[in-house]
């Protein structure tokens, strides 16, 4: 039996962990593989129970009433038969439980894309420092173990995970366009002469997002496990998003306020920097081509001094990942590569300041709250549930000169969701046990989430030449999952289910 199980991301958007296993004990009644009676004389394949995990992520926020607790960290399912872990991408809700998986005795390889192999130890080091231990020695030991176990596999290449007793499992990673290194996983499972292609989408990116090429549909999927974070809505197109982003920055330029963008360190921060560089370059007229094909300097916005807009990335982790993004240019999309060839530096431009130390961070919060310098600050965490963004929020929410701009999904129960819900009505939010009134303007721009919208998800499914026999909708709020399930049922012939 080829079996799919889910150990997370079925009641919300976090804690992604799925299992694909081959299960056929020797005493089990042999399934009929063929209609040819002669074949029945061939002994049945003897397949020990074995399988893989796809992702092993951390629960965040309170997904659908789920209280985040230490119990969420434990690996509460059997792993003796798990031969490998496949990582779709390095967001913490997909990899955060890896140290606990190792602690539970997992001894197999960690299969991931080449860029993910560069990023995984970095993200886990940070996660370990925050949630696990301050013991440097212990952290190094865990990281050493993870580095030893990692098996980077190039995109588009099959990799055999196991082959034994007539049973085998191979995996292939394909670009998912979500963050650098992100992949969807194609699995070829075989028991005797029964074979099946199962595809796990991981998180899929939106087409036309900056920096990364968009995902292409799988060539085949008998069963598909697909995320549905934005299964109930579409994003604004890139031009609209960019215009709205620009309009918010103009607020800051007009009144010397700060635009605070809570952003995930990996993915969104780099996408935004890329977009901000483009907005500034265009608005300050640096990159317009003259009719003779030469660069011409002119200002399209004479009212604003775009060159004085300061961009601050306040996060050592984001700074680190921005550097990794810069180093991994071969994985950028054609548009970004073209910009680099034309002499632009989309992820390292003049107005960009990176804040590393905690002391500099506190000084920056203090300075920006008092100064009247137009500034854009990107700080984590993306859902305001912790991290440096909290200090900025405390200092800035009460001042109407400031803007808070959400670019990513805000899970239920996070301060980010509360600010988004109550901010526009002049409400308040609780941060570290205290109430803060929200006078700053609150905005949401939907496309920089690095997640595919409903239409993109549908295109991904409809692009598979033969509709999957079964589609499992996971990784979304229940409303999003139900909406996407209904849409799929109307559009494809597959059996669609939402696993519990
Ligand atoms: Zn993700």
């Amino acid at each position: 039996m080829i079996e799919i199980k889910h150990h997370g991301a079925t009641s919300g958007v976090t804690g992604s962990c799925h299992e694909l296993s081959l299960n056929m004990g020797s005493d089990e009644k042999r399934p009929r593989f063929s209609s040819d009676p002669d074949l029945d004389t061939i002994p049945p394949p003897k397949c020990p129970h074995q399988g893989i995990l796809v992702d092993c992520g951390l629960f965040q926020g309170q997904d659908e009433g789920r209280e985040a607790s230490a119990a969420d960290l434990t690996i509460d399912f059997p792993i003796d038969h798990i031969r490998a872990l496949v990582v779709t991408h390095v967001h913490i809700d997909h990899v955060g439980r890896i140290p606990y998986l190792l602690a539970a005795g997992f001894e197999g390889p960690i299969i991931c894309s080449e860029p993910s192999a560069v990023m995984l130890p970095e993200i886990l080091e940070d996660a370990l420092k925050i949630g696990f231990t301050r013991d440097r020695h212990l952290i190094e030991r865990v990281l050493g173990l993870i580095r030893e176990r990692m098996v980077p596999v190039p995109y588009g290449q099959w990799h055999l995970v196991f082959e034994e007793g007539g049973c085998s499992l191979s995996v292939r990673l394909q670009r998912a366009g979500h963050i650098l290194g992100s992949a969807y996983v194609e699995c070829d499972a075989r028991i005797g002469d029964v074979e099946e292609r199962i595809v796990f989408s991981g998180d899929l990116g939106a087409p036309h997002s900056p920096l990364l090429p968009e995902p292409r549909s799988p060539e085949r999927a008998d069963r598909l496990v697909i995320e549905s974070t934005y299964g109930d809505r579409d994003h604004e197109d890139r031009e609209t998003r960019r215009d709205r982003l620009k309009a918010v920055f103009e607020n800051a330029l007009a009144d010397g306020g700060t635009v605070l963008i809570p952003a995930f360190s990996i993915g969104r921060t780099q996408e935004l920097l890329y977009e901000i560089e483009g907005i500034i370059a265009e608005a300050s007229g640096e990159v317009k081509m003259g009719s003779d094909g030469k660069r011409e300097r002119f200002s399209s916005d004479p009212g604003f001094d775009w060159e004085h807009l300061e961009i601050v990335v306040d996060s050592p982790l984001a700074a680190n990942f921005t550097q990794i993004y810069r180093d991994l240019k071969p994985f950028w999309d054609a548009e970004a590569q073209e910009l680099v060839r034309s002499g632009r530096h989309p992820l390292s431009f003049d107005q960009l300041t990176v804040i590393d130390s905690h002391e500099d961070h506190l000084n920056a919060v203090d300075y920006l709250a008092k100064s009247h310098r137009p500034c854009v600050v990107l700080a984590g965490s993306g859902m305001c549930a912790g991290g440096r963004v909290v200090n900025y929020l405390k200092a800035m929410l009460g001042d109407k000169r400031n803007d808070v701009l959400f670019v990513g999904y805000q899970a239920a129960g996070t301060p980010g969701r509360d600010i988004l819900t109550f901010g526009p009505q002049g409400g308040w939010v609780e941060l570290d046990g205290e109430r803060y009134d929200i006078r700053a303007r609150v905005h949401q721009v939907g496309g920089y989430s690095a997640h595919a919208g409903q239409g993109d998800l549908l295109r991904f499914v409809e692009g598979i030449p033969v509709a999957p026999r079964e589609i499992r909708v996971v990784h979304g709020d229940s409303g999003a999952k139900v909406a996407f399930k209904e849409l799929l049922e109307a559009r494809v012939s597959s059996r669609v289910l939402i696993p519990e």
Side-chain angles (χ1 to χ4, degrees):
M1 191 161 89
I2 299 166
E3 205 177 3
I4 302 171
K5 284 185 188 161
H6 308 279
H7 306 297
T10 52
S11 63
V13 297
T14 70
S16 249
C17 184
H18 310 287
E19 176 182 335
L20 176 65
S21 55
L22 277 53
N23 196 359
M24 208 187 82
S26 49
D27 321 328
E28 205 171 310
K29 200 167 172 287
R30 189 190 173 193
R32 234 185 136 67
F33 291 117
S34 165
S35 53
D36 183 349
D38 288 348
L39 287 177
D40 278 348
T41 55
I42 301 170
K46 279 190 183 159
C47 197
H49 184 205
Q50 50 193 340
I52 56 169
L53 289 181
V54 176
D55 290 339
C56 197
L58 208 60
F59 293 97
Q60 292 167 308
Q62 55 182 109
D63 272 340
E64 304 283 300
R66 184 179 181 121
E67 295 289 336
S69 73
D72 286 339
L73 299 171
T74 54
I75 302 298
D76 56 355
F77 50 88
I79 56 163
D80 289 350
H81 61 290
I82 299 298
R83 298 283 295 269
L85 166 69
V86 184
V87 166
T88 63
H89 67 288
V90 305
H91 273 151
I92 207 72
D93 58 330
H94 291 256
V95 298
R97 274 189 290 167
I98 291 179
Y100 302 90
L101 187 67
L102 296 175
F106 169 70
E107 288 182 339
I110 301 171
I111 297 166
C112 62
S113 72
E114 293 166 304
S116 288
V118 177
M119 298 192 284
L120 186 62
E122 306 284 335
I123 183 81
L124 287 178
E125 178 173 0
D126 188 71
L128 286 168
K129 274 193 236 158
I130 291 167
F132 194 70
T133 175
R134 288 250 157 220
D135 182 343
R136 195 62 244 166
H137 192 66
L138 187 58
I139 290 176
E140 275 312 321
R141 237 179 40 214
V142 177
L143 292 177
L145 210 56
I146 288 164
R147 285 197 186 93
E148 249 168 53
R149 300 285 182 79
M150 276 194 312
V151 178
V153 175
Y155 285 117
Q157 212 170 86
W158 283 105
H159 176 86
L160 180 69
V161 181
F162 58 79
E163 186 169 30
E164 200 177 335
C167 302
S168 66
L169 185 66
S170 300
V171 296
R172 185 167 69 171
L173 303 177
Q174 301 284 11
R175 284 166 174 270
H178 170 59
I179 61 168
L180 195 66
S182 66
Y184 66 81
V185 189
E186 302 173 300
C187 308
D188 266 358
R190 188 170 58 83
I191 300 182
D193 49 10
V194 173
E195 52 144 9
E196 199 182 355
R197 170 83 52 92
I198 296 117
V199 176
F200 294 87
S201 76
D203 286 353
L204 293 170
H208 316 298
S209 60
L211 274 169
L212 299 174
E214 64 184 65
R216 291 209 194 110
S217 303
E219 58 185 26
R220 181 186 154 199
D222 302 314
R223 281 192 278 175
L224 170 67
V225 177
I226 190 165
E227 67 124 333
S228 62
T229 313
Y230 287 94
D232 56 350
R233 71 202 107 139
D234 280 317
H235 298 309
E236 296 159 287
D237 65 56
R238 187 163 168 198
E239 219 41 56
T240 315
R241 263 156 35 197
R242 230 175 124 120
D243 288 348
R244 292 191 47 206
L245 209 56
K246 191 175 168 204
V248 178
F249 297 161
E250 282 170 353
N251 283 345
L253 286 164
D255 60 15
T258 297
V259 178
L260 184 59
I261 309 181
F264 257 143
S265 306
I266 317 164
R268 243 162 249 150
T269 293
Q270 291 76 27
E271 270 189 46
L272 281 165
L273 287 178
Y274 180 88
E275 212 68 327
I276 291 168
E277 190 268 349
I279 290 171
I280 294 175
E282 260 166 45
S284 55
E286 271 185 14
V287 291
K288 277 280 187 209
M289 294 290 177
S291 50
D292 54 357
K294 283 194 191 137
R295 284 180 185 216
E296 237 172 49
R297 200 181 167 82
F298 82 105
S299 184
S300 59
D301 277 289
F304 294 119
D305 199 352
W306 281 90
E307 278 159 46
H308 282 100
L309 182 66
E310 227 178 307
I311 314 297
V312 173
V313 172
D314 190 347
S315 156
L317 189 65
N320 190 2
F321 278 99
T322 305
Q323 184 57 48
I324 292 174
Y325 260 69
R326 276 182 219 140
D327 294 345
L328 294 174
K329 283 193 188 75
F331 293 92
W332 291 12
D333 69 1
E335 179 198 282
Q337 309 244 16
E338 185 51 46
L339 281 186
V340 174
R341 269 194 294 275
S342 77
R344 298 256 297 273
H345 302 280
L347 295 182
S348 53
F349 45 98
D350 289 347
Q351 289 116 302
L352 179 63
T353 305
V354 173
I355 293 177
D356 199 332
S357 78
H358 192 69
E359 197 188 340
D360 288 348
H361 155 68
L362 293 177
N363 287 338
V365 173
D366 206 43
Y367 171 73
L368 288 176
K370 289 178 195 141
S371 83
H372 284 250
R373 283 202 64 173
C375 184
V376 178
V377 177
L378 290 94
S381 74
M383 300 191 200
C384 309
R388 291 185 173 182
V389 78
V390 176
N391 285 335
Y392 282 101
L393 288 168
K394 288 178 182 172
M396 290 178 178
L397 279 177
D399 187 339
K400 62 179 173 21
R401 278 185 308 134
N402 299 324
D403 296 83
V404 182
L405 174 66
F406 289 101
V407 288
Y409 184 85
Q410 304 299 308
T414 58
R417 174 73 77 96
D418 288 347
I419 295 169
L420 199 54
T421 311
F422 304 117
Q425 314 157 18
W428 51 269
V429 62
E430 192 178 304
L431 298 166
D432 292 337
E434 262 183 69
R435 275 187 182 204
Y436 289 84
D437 288 327
I438 306 166
R439 290 194 199 90
R441 287 164 291 217
V442 177
H443 318 260
Q444 187 174 34
V445 177
Y448 295 106
S449 66
H451 272 280
Q454 187 192 57
D456 310 323
L457 291 171
L458 184 66
R459 267 190 297 281
F460 183 81
V461 175
E462 287 190 324
I464 305 170
V466 177
R469 176 164 52 80
E470 179 187 280
I471 300 176
R472 292 171 177 238
V473 178
V474 297
H475 205 275
D477 282 345
S478 55
K481 279 189 289 202
V482 170
F484 190 52
K485 176 176 186 273
E486 284 170 359
L487 180 69
L488 286 174
E489 282 168 337
R491 297 286 291 264
V492 292
S493 58
S494 319
R495 171 170 175 256
V496 185
L497 57 107
I498 297 174
E500 289 296 315

